[in-house]
Amino acid sequence: MAVLRAVDGGVLLRLRVQPRSRAERLEGVQGEQLRVRLTAPPVDGAANAACLAFLAKTLGVSRSRVQIRTGAKGRDKVLYIADLTPEQVALALGIAEDETG
């Protein structure tokens, strides 16, 4: 699967999360995943909550429109973003079209 994929009603986004970083930021695409650094530790769902909040803010959508589909207990995740196209997500995240797959 590519970094971004259109599905019914939204987009699937593949991520690799690095918790306990100094700052929250996007690291760009590596392979078929977008790398995201988060300050939250991977304890009691804190990193997952921070990931969802950071991406919702970056995309300019409400937190309820971003969900973890797979990978809640690991660093590799697939998120579902409702009501956006892959092009809109790529633009908001600064991903070049050739990197989206």
Side-chain angles (χ1 to χ4, degrees), residues 12-89:
L12 292 179
L13 170 65
R14 289 174 51 114
L15 294 178
R16 173 125 186 144
V17 175
Q18 175 66 50
R20 290 194 176 143
S21 295
R22 289 186 187 170
E24 293 186 345
R25 66 179 188 264
L26 300 172
E27 287 281 299
V29 174
Q30 291 182 346
E32 292 189 344
Q33 297 174 315
L34 175 66
R35 291 188 54 100
V36 178
R37 292 189 178 267
L38 302 169
T39 56
V43 179
D44 296 329
N48 285 338
C51 179
L52 295 173
F54 175 72
L55 285 170
K57 182 179 177 184
T58 303
L59 293 167
V61 299
S62 68
R63 161 62 189 84
S64 63
R65 289 174 52 188
V66 183
Q67 305 167 346
I68 296 176
R69 282 283 170 97
T70 63
K73 294 190 181 283
R75 291 180 184 221
D76 297 326
K77 303 179 184 308
V78 175
L79 272 57
Y80 172 75
I81 303 151
D83 304 326
L84 292 180
T85 65
E87 294 79 17
Q88 290 170 314
V89 174

